[in-house]
DNA sequence: ATCGGTGCAAATCCTTTGCATTTCC
DNA sequence: GGAAATGCAAAGGATTTGCACCGAT
């Protein structure tokens, strides 16, 4: 992904102009207004590439996982092996002053590379 | 989902016994060792139900969304309208003392009901 | 001209759902 | 017995991928 194509420019420009946190589908539908022939596959490929380069963030990744442990805790996700570790230390997030609405729960995800994969 | 079936008991027991944050598929494969006839559909239905009741947590939900804004910030997700709001206030998470590995990034998700939906 | 990127369509993976059957209370 | 949950299989939605063609360098 070294070439700076119209498709990439358009998607980048769109993502930087917007505050709506669009899905891949929404990106596709919007960008298609400018580039009627762009395909969903291309949008997925470009988003994946941007994400890998760190040009954009992805909110929610990989497949859903389930946790039967209800004690409040965070997760450390190894981006290499996808293993998830529990972090029971307190994070001092202030749940009580949010102007957008009433917070009922919060989840913290830390991404990185675990000790094993880091060797 | 009022009845306490074998399927539910087995899935609940499994999730409480394990620290691996399994996917729905993994739950299915594991539980099938005890209940060879259980179907994936049932596993999905039961997990969804447990989650709704608050008996388990789901790590990562809904479809991936993308964010071109790289300034560090958190997200507030309205569980009614699924709208995502940006929170630029600092959360004081300590990135620098994690025993599992090296943290390269973190994401904080707040769930709740936004002001508009709360009316 | 080259070869990386795109468009298209098929394939794959994940999740949901309709319906007949089974099972719990 | 009757409502509710399950199993099955098909459908639906998201994402990936193979391949022939196109276009940026």
């Amino acid at each position: 992904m070294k070439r700076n194509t119209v498709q990439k420019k358009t998607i980048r420009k769109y993502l930087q102009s917007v505050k709506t946190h669009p899905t891949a589908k929404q990106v596709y539908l919007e960008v298609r207004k400018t580039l009627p022939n762009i395909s969903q596959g291309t949008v997925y490929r470009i988003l994946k590439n941007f994400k890998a380069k760190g040009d954009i963030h992805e909110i929610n990744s990989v497949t859903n996982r389930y946790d039967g442990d209800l004690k409040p805790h965070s997760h450390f996700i190894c981006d290499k092996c996808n293993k998830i570790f529990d972090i029971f230390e307190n994070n001092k997030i202030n749940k009580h002053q949010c102007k957008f609405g009433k917070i009922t729960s919060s989840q913290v995800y830390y991404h990185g590379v675990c000790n094993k994969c880091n060797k």
Side-chain angles (χ1 to χ4, degrees), chain A:
Chain A
M1 299 290 263
K2 297 162 190 172
R3 292 181 184 165
N4 196 22
T5 59
V6 191
Q7 290 84 347
K8 285 188 209 163
K9 279 184 221 162
T10 310
I11 292 182
R12 173 169 282 124
K13 194 176 169 191
Y14 169 63
L15 279 180
Q16 287 174 348
S17 76
V18 99
K19 296 192 182 68
T20 52
H21 309 89
T23 62
K25 183 89 185 188
Q26 289 170 329
V27 173
Y28 165 68
L29 290 174
E30 198 57 36
V31 166
R32 201 171 56 159
K33 291 178 184 167
T34 318
L35 305 173
N37 291 323
I38 198 173
S39 69
Q40 294 211 49
T42 298
V43 172
Y44 276 107
R45 269 185 290 236
I46 290 178
L47 288 174
K48 205 173 175 181
N49 173 248
F50 281 179
K51 181 191 162 196
K53 290 200 299 170
D55 287 354
I56 61 171
H57 282 148
E58 189 181 67
I59 304 174
N60 295 317
S61 42
V62 299
T63 313
N64 289 346
R65 289 170 171 275
Y66 296 90
D67 192 345
D69 189 340
L70 295 185
K71 293 190 294 295
H73 62 283
S74 312
H75 295 106
F76 176 81
I77 303 166
C78 175
D79 288 330
K80 284 202 176 173
C81 64
N82 277 319
K83 198 172 172 190
I84 300 184
F85 303 86
D86 290 318
I87 300 179
F88 284 96
E89 289 144 32
N90 267 345
N91 54 65
K92 305 118 192 167
I93 296 162
N94 191 343
K95 286 192 186 181
H96 303 298
Q97 43 187 46
C98 177
K99 60 186 170 192
F100 303 116
K102 190 180 176 185
I103 293 174
T104 53
S105 71
S106 62
Q107 290 191 313
V108 184
Y109 298 112
Y110 298 98
H111 282 262
V113 180
C114 74
N115 295 322
K116 194 176 169 190
C117 288
N118 206 26
K119 281 173 189 166

